[in-house]
Amino acid sequence: GRRTLTYAMLGVVRTAAGRLAHVGRRSISSQVEGKKFIVSQVDVPTSWYNIQADLPVPLPPPLHPAKHTPCGPEDFAPLFPMSLIAQEVSSERYIEIPEAVREVLSLWRPSPLVRASRWEKALGLPDTVKIFYKYEGVSPSGSHKTNTAVAQAYYNKEAGTQRITTETGAGQWGSALAWSGAQFGLPVEVYQVKVSYEQKPYRKAFIEACGADIYPSPSMKTQAGAKILATDPDCPGSLGIAISEAIEACVTSGGTAKYALGSVLSHVLMHQTVIGEEAIKQMALVGEYPDVVVGCTGGGSNFAGIAFPFLGEKFRQEAPKTTRFVAVEPAACPSLTKGVYAYDFGDTAQMTPLIKSHTLGASFMPPSVHSGGLRYHAMAPLISHLKQLDAIEARAVQQTAAFNAGDSFFKSEGILPAPEATHAIEGALVEARKAAAAGGGTVLFNMCGHGHFDMFAWQKYAAGEIEDFEYPEALVAAAMKDIPGLNGVDWPMPDAR
C-alpha cells in the first residue's frame, strides 16, 4: 500500500517495462539493465538498539556545569521529559519502540538498501568491490532526522509538553521535528543558524507549512542571541548559538516547553539505530556483510544509526567478519580529527551540562561551509568515546572533494545528495578504491538525505564557486582556552567491564 507507493514515486525498484518490481512485504533482489536493486521488505524494528549495553568501557558521565559532579535525572528535567532522560542513561540493550511511533515510521520504513552498481561502473571498480547505501531521503523531511523526531515528539506529547523548542543547522532537523510535532498536535519553535536560514529559504517554507515557527539565529528573541548580535551584528550563527537560544526559550517558558535535540545525546543516537538494524537484515537476505561502514559526522546521529548495530555485533563477537567503521567530517570543523577529548559545554552560552567529547571549544565559530548540519564544535559523547577506544576511525575532507564525490554519485545513481551526505559519499569512494587495491571488499554507507532543499549549494558547485577552507587554527586555539576540561574539570574514566 502506502510503502509501495513511496518506492514507486522514487523510482527505486522497477522492472525494465517500468512496472513495480515488488508487492507487499516480499524482499527484493532484482537485476535491471545491469543495476542490482535491493529493497528488502523487512519489518520495521520493534526496538531501538542501545550500544551502552555492549561498550567494553562505560561512557563517562555528563557533569553539572557548576558543581562538576555527575548529573542526575533532576538536572535534565527542565529540558526533557523523564521518559527520554531514562533512555539517556539506560544500559538496557534494547528499548521497545512504542506502537504509535512505529505506525508513523512505517510511512517510509524500512528505508531502501541499494547496491550502487552504476556508480561502481562509473568509478571503474572491479567486480570484487561492492558499494551499498542505505537511503534515508525517503522520509517526509528528506533525511534520517525524522527517525528521532517522531520519537521525541511522541514522548513529549505523552508527558504533557505544550511546546517544543529546538535548533537546526541546515534545516533537516528543524523540518523533521516540525513535521513530527504536527503528527501529535505539538507546536514547535525552531532557531535556525542564520547562514543556513538565508541559504535555504525552502527549509523555512517547509517548517512553516508544518505549522511551526522559525527564527534566524542569533536572534533578538533571546538574551543569548541579543548579546551576540550586540558585539557582532553580522554573525552568521552556529549550532552552538542556536542551541543556546532554544534552551533559553525552553527554560524561560515557565515549565510549559521542553527542548529537543537532533543529535549528540545518547537517546537521539539510539533512535537512529533503526537504520543499521534494518541494514543488517537486508544485507543478510542477499548474503552480504560490510567490510567497512561509512557515515558523515557533525554531531554523530546518522553515523551512529548505521554503525552502532554493526558495532554491537562486533563487541558481542557475533559479526561474521572484522568490520571497520569510518566517520567523515568537514575539514573546516574537524572535531574528531583535531579536537581535544575533554569536558566542554554543548552550547555557546554555556547553559548545558558538561559532556566529555572531542571538541574545538564551545565558542568556536565554524566557517560558513554549505554542510550546515556538520558545523558543530563537538562530537557526540558516544562517538568520541568509541574513537578513544579505537573502535572507529575518523577522517576530515574538504567540501570540494565532498561535492565532487556527490556529483559523481548523483550522475550515476540519480539521487542528488545533501551537502552533509556528500562527505559520506566521498568516504565510501575512498574506501572502495582501497578495497580495489586490496583485491576486493564490501562498502556500506549511509546516504542520510537528499539535497533538494540545498540547491543554493549545488548552484555554487555548478558555477565552480565551492570554497575550501583552511583549518582555522588560530580561532580554534582561542576557543580551546575556555574548555573546562583543559582547565582542571574532569571525572575518572569508568573501569572496563
Side-chain angles (χ1 to χ4, degrees), residues 113-128:
L113 174 77
V114 185
R115 170 81 181 275
S117 301
R118 295 189 81 243
W119 193 39
E120 293 168 7
K121 183 177 180 180
L123 296 175
L125 297 173
D127 292 341
T128 54

Side-chain angles (χ1 to χ4, degrees), residues 45-321:
T46 58
S47 298
W48 293 298
Y49 167 63
N50 180 14
I51 198 171
Q52 296 196 67
D54 294 319
L55 290 174
V57 179
L59 185 69
L63 301 182
H64 190 283
K67 301 175 184 176
H68 299 165
T69 55
C71 290
E74 67 280 359
D75 295 315
F76 292 101
L79 299 178
F80 307 109
M82 289 306 299
S83 50
L84 291 177
I85 296 171
Q87 291 181 9
E88 183 70 17
V89 300
S90 174
S91 58
E92 295 293 320
R93 180 171 289 128
Y94 294 103
I95 293 178
E96 184 178 357
I97 302 175
E99 186 55 38
V101 174
R102 289 186 76 237
E103 191 278 327
V104 178
L105 294 179
S106 69
L107 284 169
W108 69 94
R109 304 216 71 86
S111 65
L113 174 77
V114 185
R115 170 81 181 275
S117 301
R118 295 189 81 243
W119 193 39
E120 293 168 7
K121 183 177 180 180
L123 296 175
L125 297 173
D127 292 341
T128 54
V129 178
K130 301 173 184 177
I131 303 176
F132 293 86
Y133 61 92
K134 194 83 162 90
Y135 183 43
E136 291 296 302
V138 294
S139 86
S141 66
S143 84
H144 69 291
K145 294 290 188 179
T146 324
N147 297 326
T148 182
V150 172
Q152 292 191 56
Y154 166 81
Y155 285 116
N156 271 283
K157 184 67 174 181
E158 288 289 293
T161 302
Q162 297 178 31
R163 176 169 54 97
I164 299 180
T165 67
T166 196
E167 77 294 324
T168 192
Q172 294 172 340
W173 166 242
S175 298
L177 190 63
W179 183 85
S180 299
Q183 305 314 298
F184 298 101
L186 195 56
V188 175
E189 184 176 303
V190 181
Y191 292 84
Q192 183 174 17
V193 176
K194 185 191 292 184
V195 64
S196 293
Y197 180 92
E198 294 171 347
Q199 289 177 350
K200 306 169 198 274
Y202 293 109
R203 279 292 178 192
K204 174 179 181 289
F206 182 99
I207 288 168
E208 291 178 333
C210 294
D213 297 319
I214 179 171
Y215 308 97
S217 173
S219 74
M220 294 299 293
K221 281 186 63 65
T222 67
Q223 291 184 16
K227 182 178 178 180
I228 290 169
L229 288 174
T231 57
D232 183 7
D234 298 320
C235 177
S238 70
L239 277 169
I241 295 171
I243 290 171
S244 294
E245 292 207 88
I247 289 177
E248 181 182 324
C250 168
V251 299
T252 58
S253 69
T256 61
K258 293 293 184 184
Y259 168 68
L261 189 62
S263 192
V264 181
L265 293 180
S266 298
H267 70 272
V268 180
L269 274 58
M270 183 184 69
H271 295 159
Q272 295 294 350
T273 58
V274 293
I275 302 170
E277 290 182 283
E278 290 174 3
I280 288 174
K281 294 179 180 178
Q282 290 169 319
M283 295 198 82
L285 285 170
V286 292
E288 296 286 352
Y289 200 87
D291 294 289
V292 59
V293 176
V294 180
C296 65
T297 48
S301 68
N302 101 81
F303 176 76
I306 192 76
F308 280 10
F310 287 97
L311 270 164
E313 291 197 331
K314 183 176 182 178
F315 288 148
R316 297 190 302 274
Q317 299 183 334
E318 297 171 0
K321 62 168 71 171

